[in-house]
Amino acid sequence: MSEGTARDGAAGDSAVSDDRKGERLVGIVLVSHSAQVAASVAELAQGLAGGGTAVPVSPAGGTEGGGLGTSAELIAAAAAAVDRGAGVAVLTDLGSAVLTVKALLAEGDELPDNTRLVDAPFVEGAVAAVVTASTGADLAAVEAAAAEAYTYRKV
């Protein structure tokens, strides 16, 4: 659980849902090797959050050219787009997505202050993070809820 530092870049073309601009909410970035997977998980998590406060969520999937992979530029733009001053939780799907986020955090100036890579299952963790953030919870609570998703049993 690393923390990054401020980023002065502009928001990218990421899809962001936030009906209450200016409200201090934890932002969520969903990093997948597939743009479609990231967008679908974002849509699912927001849909399951129900009528709570609209949480800023941005998928950062695939490469700039639309292929499979991860893009530091898309991740940084997504994090800037969801930053509302309460921190940014970043959830990833697979290994190189994790490595890309860790590299951005290590650089120190690519991601907003108080950005954390959250160790959580991608789908269940995203749902737990968005639902928890919609209650106005702080970054530590959002991270804990997402990480707790590892304990969800299906049988």
Side-chain angles (χ1 to χ4, degrees):
M1 130 175 69
S2 300
E3 292 186 19
T5 57
R7 180 182 188 282
D8 294 325
D13 294 330
S14 302
V16 176
S17 173
D18 181 19
D19 295 333
R20 299 178 184 186
K21 298 270 186 212
E23 186 174 351
R24 288 179 51 91
L25 294 169
V26 173
I28 313 288
V29 175
L30 301 175
V31 181
S32 174
H33 283 70
S34 163
Q36 293 84 0
V37 168
S40 293
V41 172
E43 180 182 358
L44 174 68
Q46 288 172 311
L48 293 176
T53 301
V55 174
V57 178
S58 187
T63 63
E64 289 91 349
L68 294 176
T70 56
S71 163
E73 291 78 17
L74 291 177
I75 296 166
V82 300
D83 182 20
R84 300 291 182 274
V88 176
V90 181
L91 287 84
T92 62
D93 63 357
L94 303 169
S96 66
V98 174
L99 295 175
T100 303
V101 173
K102 283 184 176 183
L104 287 168
L105 288 167
E107 288 178 21
D109 63 350
E110 297 297 317
L111 298 173
D113 283 335
N114 209 15
T115 296
R116 293 187 189 168
L117 173 59
V118 176
D119 184 14
F122 192 61
V123 175
E124 294 91 338
V127 170
V130 172
V131 168
T132 303
S134 75
T135 70
D138 66 12
L139 183 57
V142 170
E143 180 179 27
E148 185 181 349
Y150 274 129
T151 66
Y152 298 170
R153 303 294 306 176
K154 297 180 176 136
V155 290

